[in-house]
Amino acid sequence: MIPGFVYQSSPSRVVFGSGTRDRLAEEAERLGIARALVVSTPGQARLADMAAGYLGDRCAAILSKARMHTPVEVTEEAMAVVTANEIDGVVAIGGGSTTGLAKAIAYRTDLPQLIIPTTYSGSEMTDILGETADGQKVTVRDPRILPEAVIYDVDLTLGLPTAISVTSGMNAIAHAVEALYAPDGNPVVSMMAEEGIRALGAAIPGIAAAGDESEARASALYGAWLCGLVLGNTSMGLHHKLCHILGGSFGLAHAETHTVILPHVAAFNAPHAGDAMARVARALASDDAPGALFDLAKDAGAPTSLREIGMSGTGLDRAAELAVTTPYPNPAPIEPHAIRLLLENAWQGRRPTA
Ligand code: NAD
């Protein structure tokens, strides 16, 4: 039987394909942007210049200073540029860190955002912003934060290094896995989540294997879009909580942490989320969701243990404590001893099974 549910679609426009960056000026015009601020990370300044070129007279300023975890100092600098240049819209080209800066500006100004993602983080599809001030990362949700339009151009992801592609893809899959058992999920979300996992599960081995990867890249970006959509429509559970703690309090890299933790949380939740795990397994053409997630990452050369991504064994007790301090939705009960064991398994890099 289908249980009762609430479904709300996100008011955002998506342009997907190869060479879609050609449509940047047209999409900016659609949003009424005449004086855009283009943002990127320092490493992707070249892409920001390219976007400015496509925008022509519609580009009023470029700021290539986006950083991981959206530090408030950078946002304040961007706000000064917005005021000084009478900016009426933000164009972001890059990964989740760059999208974070656009969202931080929109949260303060309600300016329209046009995002061109180059990783699989999915941030462009959500109304969620994580900002860091004085070393503390605070998450806010607000309709102003949801980008108005997104241009997915597969060509721009062709140069994403293999290692980042794999972990970023696993980060996207993690959104879909948690959406499948979220208390505010619904049949449409589950359909998109399963399809997102299938698309990324098929793409990751193709990206990891050298050779012509254009088909795999298109599949991965399509999957990332779906996984971002379901992230924006549901409440995340234990997996995202643990990754937030490991990133925020122990400085571990975002996508790598997701990659290592996901199979272990899947195994932890499996006895209480049978339908969700059956969908994950089906999407990965397996009968063992946690094992298949672990193998997907490992076979593509991604890290599989917290130890190898810089977590000290002495921090595990503290991480487990932090994970049980505030409540959040999760299918399996959150018990300190069980969480500590999960972290130990992830630290050692043991292969979990359902
Ligand atoms: P990122 O944006 O930090 O990018 C990682 C690195 O890859 C950067 O150095 C970037 O310059 C480089 N890069 C990006 N695209 C590239 C390309 N095509 N070719 C070559 N290099 C490229 O990392 P990310 O994993 O995309 O995003 C992580 C951040 O996004 C975190 O801060 C996370 O909290 C946030 N995030 C937010 C949400 C949300 O809904 N608010 C969702 C997911 C992630």
Side-chain angles (χ1 to χ4, degrees):
M1 197 182 83
I2 296 171
F5 60 84
V6 174
Y7 172 74
Q8 186 171 326
S9 65
S10 305
S12 76
R13 175 178 162 87
V14 168
V15 176
F16 185 98
S18 165
T20 44
R21 59 191 178 283
D22 289 354
R23 314 247 298 258
L24 187 47
E26 183 188 327
E27 290 298 320
E29 183 178 8
R30 222 187 141 88
L31 290 172
I33 301 176
R35 297 188 58 76
L37 168 63
V38 177
V39 296
S40 77
T41 58
Q44 292 187 297
R46 195 183 46 81
L47 280 185
D49 289 342
M50 184 200 75
Y54 278 107
L55 286 166
D57 291 347
R58 288 182 193 277
C59 177
I62 301 177
L63 186 69
S64 292
K65 291 194 176 177
R67 289 215 316 263
M68 192 95 153
H69 305 309
T70 327
V72 170
E73 313 88 78
V74 176
T75 303
E76 282 165 359
E77 192 177 338
M79 288 299 296
V81 175
V82 165
T83 309
N85 293 279
E86 295 171 22
I87 296 298
D88 61 7
V90 188
V91 172
I93 183 159
S97 299
T98 303
T99 303
L101 177 57
K103 286 172 154 184
I105 296 168
Y107 181 47
R108 288 161 176 77
T109 57
D110 204 15
L111 287 177
Q113 303 171 69
L114 179 43
I115 312 288
I116 310 166
T118 61
T119 69
Y120 308 130
S121 81
S123 176
E124 66 281 356
M125 280 293 130
T126 81
D127 59 356
I128 308 163
L129 166 67
E131 305 192 278
T132 314
D134 304 323
Q136 284 282 82
K137 191 162 179 177
V138 179
T139 302
V140 278
R141 238 179 155 139
D142 188 282
R144 281 171 294 185
I145 295 169
L146 180 73
E148 280 72 9
V150 177
I151 296 178
Y152 287 106
D153 187 338
V154 178
D155 299 357
L156 296 177
T157 63
L158 294 175
L160 186 64
T162 304
I164 302 180
S165 304
V166 174
T167 55
S168 186
M170 293 301 298
N171 179 196
I173 290 177
H175 308 328
V177 170
E178 292 231 289
L180 282 169
Y181 54 60
D184 44 3
N186 60 61
V188 177
V189 156
S190 293
M191 209 162 55
M192 292 192 290
E194 186 177 340
E195 172 67 357
I197 298 170
R198 188 206 57 74
L200 277 155
I204 287 173
I207 293 172
D212 178 14
E213 53 182 53
S214 48
E215 195 178 326
R217 287 290 180 182
S219 180
L221 196 57
Y222 163 68
W225 166 50
L226 293 171
C227 291
L229 255 177
V230 301
L231 167 68
N233 275 289
T234 52
S235 303
M236 295 287 109
L238 174 64
H239 173 80
H240 281 75
K241 179 70 177 182
L242 284 178
C243 293
H244 190 89
I245 291 166
L246 293 168
S249 302
F250 298 89
L252 301 193
H254 181 83
E256 290 185 346
T257 309
H258 276 265
T259 305
V260 172
I261 291 293
L262 182 63
H264 297 278
V265 171
F268 181 86
N269 280 332
H272 300 267
D275 288 350
M277 288 308 142
R279 277 184 179 265
V280 175
R282 186 168 64 192
L284 297 175
S286 162
D287 55 9
D288 172 10
L293 290 166
F294 184 90
D295 295 344
L296 179 63
K298 185 168 193 283
D299 294 348
T304 51
S305 69
L306 289 179
R307 188 163 44 174
E308 71 192 286
I309 62 169
M311 179 75 185
S312 117
T314 54
L316 296 179
D317 284 338
R318 179 76 188 128
E321 274 168 32
L322 289 170
V324 299
T325 46
T326 49
Y328 45 89
N330 193 63
I334 304 298
E335 288 158 359
H337 178 71
I339 299 295
R340 179 64 179 79
L341 184 62
L342 184 166
L343 288 171
E344 179 69 31
N345 287 334
W347 192 74
Q348 297 284 358
R350 297 189 178 114
R351 181 183 185 275
T353 59

